[in-house]
Amino acid sequence: MDSRRLAYLKALDIDVWERRDGSARTSVLPAETLAPVQVRTVQAPPVVALKSALPEDDTGISKLGWEELATAVRSCTKCPLHATRTNGVFGVGNRTARWMIIGEAPGADEDRQGEPFVGRAGQLLNSMLKAIGLAREQVFIANILKSRPPNNRDPKPEEVRACIPYLYRQIELVNPGLILCVGRIAAQTLLDVDTPIGKLRGVVHSIATNRPMVVTYHPAYLLRSPVEKRKSWADLLLAMRTFETLQSGATT
Ligand code: URA
């Protein structure tokens, strides 16, 4: 294990056993990370169904290119959140990324800077990515909502309905090999369930026309409950193993 990854694992509070010869390995992982990868399709709305449910004036979103989409997000007035936001937060990163990270909605820092995950939670997300060998610039990061809900309250269903076509278009344009969904709200929204996040972890979901998605805890939650970082590390390993398995075309 290289020293950089080791440092990030330590930053995540993941126990690392040092051997006397100086080599290291992570502590014993939960059994779920060792199980063969199984892709489970749940009741995630496929893109086609979602599009057919969109109001008339939303249908054009699925045809927009990157620049038009970014402009549409930044000037969007489809829901009342536009009146209280500072910036529409489009998303950031590599537009041809193999990994896409999806969160809930911008917070105060993100609203001010116009970029997702730039606050304390964003710093932890960066560390989580680095722990699996990914730089922030290598992935594409976006949220379900592009405008900040006042006082960081949960998104309302009508706000999600208005905004989610932007995210689905981003998913289509990026065409990621793996989606890492962070947090309960994002996971429940994308999967259209109200199952607790603990039950959505540990399996590979399929959303947006058969794209694999792994669910983990939101970094803001991990900051409040550091004891859960161990489970999050297991989720990251599942995501990595899933990505590698599917990329290599292996069947399990
Ligand atoms: N939390 C999120 O879900 N997204 C952000 O961009 C910031 C915090």
Side-chain angles (χ1 to χ4, degrees):
M1 186 178 310
D2 65 65
S3 60
R4 193 193 59 168
R5 186 171 294 188
L6 194 56
Y8 285 113
L9 286 177
K10 285 183 173 170
L12 290 177
D13 294 336
I14 306 298
D15 295 341
V16 179
W17 296 357
E18 311 268 5
R19 291 205 182 98
R20 287 209 178 118
D21 63 5
S23 64
R25 67 183 180 86
T26 51
S27 59
V28 178
L29 296 167
E32 67 204 49
T33 64
L34 305 172
V37 172
Q38 289 191 340
V39 178
R40 186 173 79 183
T41 304
V42 296
Q43 312 89 304
V47 169
V48 188
L50 209 100
K51 274 183 197 155
S52 67
L54 295 177
E56 274 289 282
D57 66 344
D58 281 342
T59 53
I61 292 174
S62 65
K63 298 192 174 58
L64 297 181
W66 276 113
E67 297 316 321
E68 300 162 294
L69 190 64
T71 303
V73 164
R74 292 188 181 117
S75 57
C76 184
T77 55
K78 285 182 196 297
C79 84
L81 293 180
H82 78 271
T84 49
R85 72 169 181 235
T86 309
N87 286 296
V89 179
F90 178 65
V92 72
N94 180 349
R95 292 180 174 184
T96 58
R98 304 313 298 131
W99 285 58
M100 186 157 172
I101 317 300
I102 301 181
E104 176 182 332
D109 294 319
E110 291 76 21
D111 179 59
R112 206 167 27 247
Q113 297 184 41
E115 183 172 327
F117 284 101
V118 290
R120 279 187 68 222
Q123 282 163 22
L124 179 55
L125 177 65
N126 293 347
S127 294
M128 291 163 71
L129 292 172
K130 279 182 180 156
I132 52 170
L134 290 170
R136 180 178 169 93
E137 299 71 34
Q138 283 177 283
V139 304
F140 192 84
I141 307 176
N143 285 312
I144 303 268
L145 287 194
K146 310 304 191 200
S147 300
R148 182 191 182 205
N151 303 315
N152 301 340
R153 65 155 168 74
D154 288 354
K156 294 182 179 172
E158 60 271 26
E159 293 161 356
V160 170
R161 265 196 303 279
C163 212
I164 207 160
Y166 294 126
L167 178 66
Y168 274 92
R169 183 60 183 149
Q170 289 176 313
I171 295 173
E172 278 185 342
L173 287 169
V174 174
N175 191 22
L178 187 109
I179 295 171
L180 180 68
C181 175
V182 298
R184 174 182 67 84
I185 300 275
Q188 291 179 340
T189 302
L190 288 169
L191 296 170
D192 198 20
V193 296
D194 54 14
T195 312
I197 187 166
K199 293 208 162 74
L200 298 175
R201 298 178 46 250
V203 292
V204 183
H205 305 278
S206 171
I207 71 154
T209 51
N210 288 329
R211 292 168 210 277
M213 181 176 85
V214 169
V215 172
T216 193
Y217 293 111
H218 195 286
Y221 170 74
L222 295 175
L223 288 170
R224 293 192 302 274
S225 309
V227 70
E228 302 288 33
K229 285 182 181 173
R230 173 180 293 270
K231 291 187 193 157
S232 194
W233 175 236
D235 299 334
L236 293 176
L237 292 178
L238 172 64
M240 231 179 2
R241 202 156 43 82
T242 302
F243 177 75
E244 281 160 12
T245 305
L246 295 178
Q247 292 303 303
S248 70
T251 50
T252 54

